[in-house]
């Protein structure tokens, strides 16, 4: 069982990561192109997860390392935490004995680590698992920020995703979002309204 294969290790190291590159994860799928350029990191993360071999959700070290990527994204983009969680949860549900509380717990555990992995790790895993998959991963300059999202980043993200601004407003309030962040969401909502009515 995936949770029983924890190897009793709490530290992340190169020797542990060797188990990520097991031939059992290689899939024979048709050639495919996944162009993720100019996409937000959160969207890239969500788009890459389905390309991982389903067995990785039952493989402890793969699960834990992907959780590290999710934890990093949640730290960087607190207003988008729910999107990261939904992507990670959906992927993790491939584990036959999936438990949402355990899934939350691994994110908390991963968040305690230093040097959390980036989306690039998920891209590398997806490429390893699918020899015929070509991934283009470049990102916009304004999504490479460290820490809190910038005005341009959050507004553009809301605009591209077409999500309801009210849902993000609620998330920001729960996370302690200030007036400036609420103003950003208001601007994104106004842009969508203007586009909808063609004015």
């Amino acid at each position: 069982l995936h949770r029983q294969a924890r190897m009793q290790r709490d530290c992340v190291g190169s020797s542990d990561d060797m188990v990520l590159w097991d031939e059992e994860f290689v899939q024979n799928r048709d050639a495919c192109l996944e162009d993720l350029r100019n996409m937000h990191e959160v969207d890239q993360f969500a788009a890459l997860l389905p390309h991982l071999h389903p067995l990785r959700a039952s493989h402890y070290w793969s699960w834990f390392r992907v959780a590290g990527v999710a934890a990093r994204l949640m730290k960087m983009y607190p207003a988008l935490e729910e999107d990261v969680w939904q992507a990670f949860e959906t992927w993790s549900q491939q584990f036959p004995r999936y438990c949402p509380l355990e899934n939350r717990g691994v994110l908390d555990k991963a968040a305690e680590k230093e040097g959390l992995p980036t989306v690039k790790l998920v891209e590398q895993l997806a490429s390893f698992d699918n020899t015929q998959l070509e991934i283009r991963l470049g990102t916009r300059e304004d999504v490479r920020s460290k820490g809190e999202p910038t005005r341009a980043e959050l507004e553009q993200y809301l605009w591209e995703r077409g999500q309801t601004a009210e849902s993000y407003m609620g998330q920001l309030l729960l996370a302690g979002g200030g007036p400036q962040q609420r103003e950003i969401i208001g601007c994104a909502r106004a842009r969508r309204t203007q586009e909808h009515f063609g004015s």
Side-chain angles (χ1 to χ4, degrees), residues 5-23:
R6 300 187 179 199
M7 302 173 287
Q8 304 301 316
R9 299 172 188 168
D10 293 327
C11 61
V12 175
S14 58
S15 61
D16 297 322
D17 285 348
M18 290 296 294
V19 301
L20 296 175
W21 316 109
D22 193 303
E23 292 296 325

Side-chain angles (χ1 to χ4, degrees), residues 10 91 102 150:
D10 293 327
W91 174 75
E102 186 177 32
T150 63

Side-chain angles (χ1 to χ4, degrees), residues 50-66:
H51 290 292
L52 301 185
H53 193 293
L55 285 178
R56 286 198 182 275
S58 298
H59 179 256
Y60 177 75
W61 205 247
S62 295
W63 177 65
F64 185 74
R65 294 292 272 157
V66 172

